[in-house]
């Protein structure tokens, strides 16, 4: 599976003479604008500059049309982030996002109340075609623990029901159904593709395991509002220092929140270790999806070899790494920022891209696939 590097770099406009003199005598001929991508205002201007035209085309397209995009990538590869960010940019009213995992959890709730249970079973009777009697399939759903797997046919019927609920909407469907082997996986998508008459697209996401590992290890969550950030890669604006424990912590800066000390979830310190098997399976399923004909594919990559970076991306599009120091004298935390270099799955020193440039590449590729 080869994921091409997508160019999001903008070759700058020529500088005026005055600006040129400003750069300490160095003969910089060009200057491209710089953006702080963690700032919402800056981010808006960034998208306007890099994909303004494409967003306009998509807005126009979505007035009369829809499409379905299936997001495929390893756990924690950024599926939710990328799809939500692009929906936000294009047309939040007309785009819906749902994940298969959330869907299955929702079903549990529906089965609890008699009315919604009846409605659910009724709709499944229409959609379900499987080798287990529907009754048994539903009881598998109810008695589900992490070990028992749901029949593929049942998941299919449930996904179709979700799609049918959102008839006039463009959909981003997030994630592999759990526990699919290669054969049921092919069945799953062959059956779904073309279920609705609008175009469907596979969006495949490639993120190095080392990136996924660090995202989990340094993840911090607000106990009050559940906002999730990362101590090393995506800190909040306020950092605290616990002298007793000799550790730094994030203070939630969600304006709707009371600023709690963010904590790590149990098991996160292990990173991808407990996920290894799952990631291998996810990789196999991605390969399978990649080889499926009859559906256009959008390929997104999270990383870029350090050596290639200058040609393809602007430096503010790269994920920095943050470190902290406590200054006893000033009684405050000092924050340091430097480029973060990780080895990709082939062992090549790479940068990890922030979400916005990946979304730029996503939007441009969708426009191309839809020939807008
Ligand atoms: Zn909070």
């Amino acid at each position: 599976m080869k994921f091409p590097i997508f160019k999001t770099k903008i070759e700058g406009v020529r500088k005026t003479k005055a600006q040129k003199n400003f750069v300490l005598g160095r003969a910089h001929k060009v200057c491209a604008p710089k953006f702080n991508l963690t700032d919402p205002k800056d981010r808006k201007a960034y998208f306007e500059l890099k994909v303004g035209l494409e967003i306009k085309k998509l807005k126009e397209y979505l007035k009369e049309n829809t499409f379905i995009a299936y997001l495929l990538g390893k756990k924690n590869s950024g599926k939710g982030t990328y799809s939500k960010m692009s929906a936000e940019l294009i047309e939040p009213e007309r785009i819906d996002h749902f994940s298969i995992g959330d869907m299955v959890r929702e079903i549990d709730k529906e089965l609890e109340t008699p009315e919604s249970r009846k409605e659910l079973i009724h709709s499944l009777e229409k959609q379900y075609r499987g080798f287990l009697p529907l009754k048994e399939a539903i009881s598998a759903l109810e008695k589900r623990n992490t070990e028992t797997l749901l029949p593929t046919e049942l998941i299919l019927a449930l996904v179709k029901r979700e799609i049918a609920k959102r008839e006039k909407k463009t959909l981003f469907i997030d994630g592999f159904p759990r526990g699919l082997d290669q054969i049921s996986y092919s069945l799953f998508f062959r059956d779904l593709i073309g279920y609705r008459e609008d175009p469907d697209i596979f969006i495949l996401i490639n993120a190095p395991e080392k990136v996924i590992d660090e995202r989990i290890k340094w993840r911090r969550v607000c106990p009050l509002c559940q906002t999730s950030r990362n101590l090393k890669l995506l800190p909040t604006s306020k950092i605290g220092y616990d002298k007793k424990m000799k550790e730094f912590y994030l203070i939630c800066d969600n304006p709707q929140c009371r600023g709690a000390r963010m904590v790590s979830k149990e098991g996160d310190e292990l990173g991808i270790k407990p996920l290894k098997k799952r990631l291998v399976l996810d990789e196999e399923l991605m390969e399978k999806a990649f080889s499926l004909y009859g559906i256009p594919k959008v390929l997104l990559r999270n990383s870029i070899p350090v050596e290639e970076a200058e040609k393809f991306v602007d430096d503010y599009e790269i994920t920095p790494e943050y470190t902290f120091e406590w200054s006893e004298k000033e009684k405050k935390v000092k924050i340091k920022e430097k480029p973060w270099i990780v080895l990709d799955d082939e062992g090549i020193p790479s940068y990890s891209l922030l979400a916005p440039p990946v979304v730029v590449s996503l939007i441009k590729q969708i426009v191309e696939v839809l020939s807008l």
Side-chain angles (χ1 to χ4, degrees):
M1 244 186 320
K2 195 118 180 76
F3 282 74
I5 302 175
F6 197 90
K7 186 172 178 178
T8 49
K9 188 183 177 109
I10 286 195
E11 305 296 350
V13 285
R14 273 185 183 282
K15 274 193 171 183
T16 62
K17 216 175 184 180
Q19 279 171 317
K20 232 189 272 178
N21 293 336
F22 196 70
V23 195
L24 299 168
R26 259 189 286 165
H28 281 240
K29 275 198 206 111
V30 288
C31 118
K34 256 186 175 294
F35 299 96
N36 169 10
L37 295 181
T38 55
D39 177 77
K41 248 189 181 165
D42 252 29
R43 202 161 56 221
K44 197 167 169 243
Y46 165 84
F47 282 123
E48 181 56 40
L49 177 74
K50 297 213 173 182
V51 271
L53 184 70
E54 285 81 3
I55 291 173
K56 224 184 239 167
K57 284 182 180 173
L58 274 167
K59 274 184 196 282
E60 197 53 41
Y61 174 83
L62 291 183
K63 277 185 190 162
E64 302 284 336
N65 310 278
T66 52
F67 63 87
I68 297 188
Y70 298 98
L71 293 146
L72 308 172
K74 291 177 184 167
K75 200 174 156 64
N76 275 302
S77 57
K79 290 171 295 203
T81 310
Y82 299 147
S83 57
K84 279 173 203 157
M85 198 178 269
S86 29
E88 217 35 61
L89 275 168
I90 305 165
E91 200 67 80
E93 298 290 303
R94 290 177 198 268
I95 302 177
D96 242 4
H97 165 274
F98 77 89
S99 89
I100 310 258
D102 290 345
M103 177 192 82
V104 172
R105 280 185 285 275
E106 277 300 307
I107 301 285
D108 283 342
K109 281 189 215 150
E110 281 184 55
L111 284 169
E112 277 166 21
T113 36
E115 294 104 84
S116 56
R117 186 190 169 90
K118 216 171 131 191
E119 189 275 323
L120 173 67
I121 292 174
H122 181 70
S123 97
L124 285 176
E125 277 166 353
K126 276 192 281 180
Q127 279 298 344
Y128 177 76
R129 305 282 178 275
F131 293 104
L132 269 184
L134 179 60
K135 259 198 180 150
E136 278 178 41
I138 290 174
S139 95
L141 190 64
E142 282 178 305
K143 294 195 197 95
R144 182 173 43 90
N145 52 43
T146 41
E147 251 98 285
T148 46
L149 300 174
L150 298 175
T152 309
E153 293 89 350
L154 182 67
I155 302 177
L156 259 174
L158 292 171
V159 172
K160 285 181 176 171
R161 173 170 168 262
E162 292 298 318
I163 294 176
K165 274 191 210 163
R166 301 161 166 91
E167 204 186 341
K168 294 202 171 70
K169 292 219 170 180
T170 283
L171 296 177
F172 282 91
I173 301 177
D174 178 346
F176 299 116
R178 283 191 65 182
L180 286 192
D181 55 39
Q182 295 217 9
I183 298 164
S184 38
Y185 180 76
S186 297
L187 163 85
F188 181 80
F189 279 109
R190 242 176 264 156
D191 197 279
L192 269 187
I193 293 165
Y195 169 64
R196 230 165 58 169
E197 279 179 15
D198 51 347
D200 27 31
I201 305 168
F202 269 174
I203 299 174
L204 288 111
I205 301 168
N206 174 277
E209 292 201 350
K210 189 81 190 127
V211 169
I212 297 176
D213 190 49
E214 302 266 296
R215 279 183 183 165
I216 299 172
K217 276 187 180 152
W218 299 97
R219 178 161 60 195
R220 298 292 184 270
V221 181
C222 172
L224 298 179
C225 71
Q226 309 305 318
T227 295
S228 172
R229 301 297 280 265
N230 189 297
L231 185 62
K232 177 174 170 178
L233 306 171
L234 190 64
T236 49
S237 51
K238 283 179 251 165
I239 316 290
Y241 179 59
D242 186 328
K243 273 193 190 167
K244 228 165 148 194
M245 306 285 287
K246 288 202 164 74
E247 65 178 23
F248 297 94
Y249 57 89
L250 301 180
I251 300 166
C252 182
D253 59 2
N254 173 1
Q256 272 96 48
C257 187
R258 281 187 287 123
R261 173 169 174 168
M262 297 173 95
V263 292
S264 58
K265 281 194 286 179
E266 208 190 318
D268 273 1
E269 71 281 359
L270 298 170
I272 56 170
K273 230 173 168 189
L275 289 177
K276 277 279 183 194
K277 262 196 200 150
R278 164 96 188 261
L279 295 181
V280 171
L281 181 70
D282 283 357
E283 175 81 31
E284 281 172 21
L285 300 184
M286 286 243 286
E287 298 262 359
K288 192 86 192 166
F290 194 78
S291 66
L292 200 62
Y293 289 102
I295 177 162
K297 293 167 200 84
V298 164
L299 303 176
L300 302 179
R301 52 184 292 161
N302 164 280
S303 68
I304 183 162
V306 170
E307 280 189 14
E308 310 274 356
E310 215 201 316
K311 271 186 282 171
F312 290 94
V313 296
D314 285 310
D315 49 8
Y316 58 82
E317 296 179 314
I318 292 166
T319 306
E321 163 185 356
Y322 296 87
T323 50
F324 312 106
E325 246 172 55
W326 172 250
S327 157
E328 191 56 47
K329 224 164 117 195
E330 294 166 65
K331 297 276 177 236
K332 69 174 194 186
V333 176
K334 293 198 161 169
I335 304 170
K336 284 187 181 160
E337 190 187 318
K338 61 174 184 193
W340 179 46
I341 299 173
V342 278
L343 297 181
D344 71 7
D345 293 347
E346 274 142 46
I348 301 167
S350 304
Y351 293 130
S352 171
L353 295 173
L354 290 168
V358 181
V359 169
V360 164
S361 123
L362 171 61
I363 290 177
K364 287 203 174 192
Q365 291 185 67
I366 288 181
V367 166
E368 210 177 291
V369 161
L370 296 172
S371 329
L372 303 181

